[in-house]
Amino acid sequence: MIAPARALAALLVVASPGLGGAPAEALRAPTPGAAGIGDPYFPLDGNGGIDVLHYDVRDAYAFASGRLSGRTRLRVRATQDLSRFNLDFLLPVRSVRVDRRRAQVRHQGHELRITPARPIPAGAEFVVTVAYAGTPASESYRGERSWLASPDEVVTMNEPHMAPWWFPANDHPRDKASFDIRVTVPRSKDVVSNGVRVSKKTHRGRTTTHWRAVEPMAPYLAFFAAGSFAIHRSSCNGVPNVFAVSRNTTSTPGQPARRAAAYWGRQTCTIVSELSSVLGPYPFSSMGGLATGLTVGFALENQTRPTYPYASGLQPGLLTHELAHQWFGDSVSVAGWRDVWLNEGFASFMAGFGVELRGGQPQQDWLLQTYDSVPDSSSLWELSVDDPGPARLFDGAVYARGQMALQALRHRIGETAFWTLLRTWVAQRAYRNGSVQEFEALAAATSGQDLTAFFDAWLHAQVKPARTAANGLV
Ligand SMILES: [Zn+2]
């Protein structure tokens, strides 16, 4: 976890009384934490002055009404002297306590402004308890409605914003934390989440399932799914592997959900082993996946357990993309959302490399074929992949041109330097963050080459890169 940049506490310089030149005494006055962590794409995402160390989320979900109620305890460290601080949350709040004392709350849209009974000194750890209840489907942020549910099934999967619909968070990848997630639903339903299952207890017809994710996790990568699932449990090189498939997936005729869960659990292990062989050890202490029966047009790299649409739509390329994100995106997260190439370009490249690894088309052939087939006038070349803007964060160019850029880099600096670069990147920054600029610097250092013009051509210039050896195309 990287704490938000430690804000400078305001300095009150008190003039020393009298003559004689006694040293001025500096007093620090507590100030409000900022409403955002400082990401220019999403100014209200995350918050200043706090570093969340652990989330303890306890939610209950009612399928018929779509109502979610809960209580989340956050263990937090102050990174400045705080008079108040914000959390990101959308549901109506019943009460907030800071270290068991009732706090003053002002809730405006996405911002939950909390004023504790007493100021909190920089460096102090404190516990915030937020109680809430509401209907997530009726909430939106920046026009996004991230909640995904039917009367039978629910899954919290979205990017870049998902947490504020089901727990109060410091919602930015720069503030990672460990998680305990307990979700209570009718006993007929199963609950799947990140990490390992700690317990499952039924009381008066309702079951509470407790999952624990021990490695640091960005809030948007936390998830739970509840529904009727076939759950296959196995072990992959000693790592617990849990793969769940919705029994509501009507699009798998003749393939029972339990057989699909076992099959895709095995595929997950195979692909994770392939990726580990080139990237270094799998970064987490559990793995798996979940195929939802809900209608959703995307898959998401939820930490340790990606979520996929429909068991029948699964294929190795999609799994490879989401499992590659466990290294690129989850373990090493973006420093800011403008760095999204480090997630999507890399996951796309690894999916393409997986094809090559399994005896399919070599990536360099794919690169040249794609380069030749995309005209100069294509929108693929209009977007700066290293700064796509908040509205085009997941534009096709971030994926396709981003994938091309990595293969071109591989061709330009050679196999040894390229794979050393990727392994060094994920090892040095495991569980932390990185920016495109930092990756470019590491690429130059690892290869011993000046790559300024290369990265400008592939990631920044709004024209098709020239077909040159310097651009990895000859
Ligand atoms: Zn992706």
Side-chain angles (χ1 to χ4, degrees):
M1 180 189 323
I2 288 187
R6 199 183 168 88
L8 284 174
L11 288 177
L12 277 184
V13 180
V14 179
S16 53
L19 304 170
E25 186 187 346
L27 295 177
R28 293 185 299 176
T31 51
I37 206 168
D39 190 322
Y41 277 22
F42 304 108
L44 290 178
D45 283 18
N47 303 282
I50 58 167
D51 172 12
V52 179
L53 307 173
H54 185 75
Y55 290 91
D56 187 346
V57 182
R58 295 168 195 237
D59 281 353
Y61 185 67
F63 286 85
S65 61
R67 197 168 162 81
L68 185 137
S69 56
R71 180 187 301 266
T72 292
R73 279 162 49 104
L74 304 87
R75 193 153 55 77
V76 183
R77 185 190 295 131
T79 61
Q80 70 180 60
D81 290 315
L82 284 172
S83 57
R84 57 173 163 85
F85 59 93
N86 284 22
L87 294 174
D88 304 322
F89 195 48
L90 293 168
L91 295 182
V93 165
R94 289 174 164 165
S95 68
V96 178
R97 289 178 181 272
V98 174
D99 286 339
R100 297 204 200 124
R101 281 200 179 80
R102 212 173 174 96
Q104 277 182 29
V105 183
R106 214 180 106 199
H107 200 180
Q108 238 176 354
H110 176 262
E111 296 302 305
L112 188 62
R113 198 172 93 179
I114 299 167
T115 307
R118 292 175 190 167
I120 300 162
E125 282 188 23
F126 57 101
V127 174
V128 187
T129 308
V130 183
Y132 44 89
T135 313
S138 59
E139 304 295 343
S140 68
Y141 170 51
R142 296 177 58 101
E144 298 166 22
R145 291 186 174 275
S146 294
W147 195 250
L148 185 67
S150 75
D152 301 310
E153 196 168 316
V154 57
V155 55
T156 62
M157 57 187 285
N158 223 304
E159 187 184 4
H161 307 118
M162 185 69 249
W165 277 263
W166 64 289
F167 66 94
N170 194 28
D171 191 20
H172 193 275
R174 274 219 296 271
D175 189 5
K176 302 187 183 193
S178 53
F179 279 73
D180 278 284
I181 297 170
R182 292 174 180 82
V183 179
T184 302
V185 290
R187 68 182 300 172
S188 59
K189 303 286 191 189
D190 307 293
V191 174
V192 176
S193 181
N194 313 85
V196 294
R197 200 182 75 180
V198 177
S199 66
K200 185 177 172 180
K201 289 174 187 157
T202 300
H203 182 67
R204 293 185 179 173
R206 299 205 308 164
T207 298
T208 301
T209 312
H210 175 189
W211 292 82
R212 176 173 289 158
V214 291
E215 290 93 9
M217 176 159 71
Y220 83 97
L221 295 169
F223 89 106
F224 82 89
S228 208
F229 303 128
I231 301 176
H232 184 78
R233 291 164 201 286
S234 57
S235 166
C236 177
N237 303 319
V239 177
N241 181 4
V242 177
F243 204 104
V245 171
S246 171
R247 296 187 194 277
N248 285 338
T249 306
T250 51
S251 47
T252 45
Q255 193 188 32
R258 61 177 172 75
R259 208 189 299 158
Y263 178 78
W264 290 110
R266 281 195 301 275
Q267 288 291 309
T268 295
C269 180
T270 303
I271 292 166
V272 164
S273 304
E274 276 175 11
L275 292 169
S276 308
S277 71
V278 287
L279 298 175
Y282 175 72
F284 303 116
S285 54
S286 65
M287 67 172 77
L290 176 128
T292 177
L294 294 167
T295 305
V296 53
F298 58 93
L300 195 73
E301 63 267 25
N302 301 116
Q303 191 158 307
T304 67
R305 201 149 291 125
T307 44
Y308 306 97
Y310 306 122
S312 67
L314 291 185
Q315 36 95 5
L318 182 64
L319 265 74
T320 310
H321 180 107
E322 301 308 333
L323 293 169
H325 270 309
Q326 303 304 308
W327 284 263
F328 302 108
D330 296 9
S331 174
V332 185
S333 300
V334 292
W337 282 109
R338 77 171 275 176
D339 302 309
V340 68
W341 171 66
L342 297 172
N343 289 11
E344 300 310 339
F346 285 55
S348 302
F349 169 79
M350 291 310 300
F353 176 73
V355 173
E356 175 181 320
L357 202 62
R358 292 169 212 130
Q361 186 182 38
Q363 277 287 280
Q364 188 65 14
D365 292 358
W366 171 84
L367 169 62
L368 295 175
Q369 207 174 63
T370 308
Y371 179 86
D372 289 338
S373 67
V374 180
D376 296 9
S377 58
S378 167
S379 62
L380 196 70
W381 313 120
E382 281 169 16
L383 191 73
S384 292
V385 169
D386 64 354
D387 191 10
R392 296 179 73 179
L393 210 50
F394 302 105
D395 191 282
V398 174
Y399 293 72
R401 186 174 172 180
Q403 177 180 351
M404 295 171 84
L406 276 168
Q407 175 53 36
L409 178 65
R410 180 184 173 199
H411 192 68
R412 159 94 194 249
I413 67 177
E415 282 300 279
T416 306
F418 180 76
W419 293 109
T420 302
L421 167 62
L422 294 200
R423 275 194 296 272
T424 307
W425 178 252
V426 296
Q428 282 182 350
R429 294 181 181 274
Y431 312 127
R432 303 194 296 125
N433 303 76
S435 68
V436 172
Q437 217 176 7
E438 287 163 338
F439 181 80
E440 290 181 11
L442 185 65
T446 307
S447 65
Q449 297 182 24
D450 181 353
L451 297 166
T452 313
F454 172 90
F455 283 120
D456 185 63
W458 276 108
L459 301 182
H460 198 72
Q462 293 172 310
V463 291
K464 189 174 181 174
R467 196 187 234 283
T468 62
N471 284 338
L473 289 163
V474 175

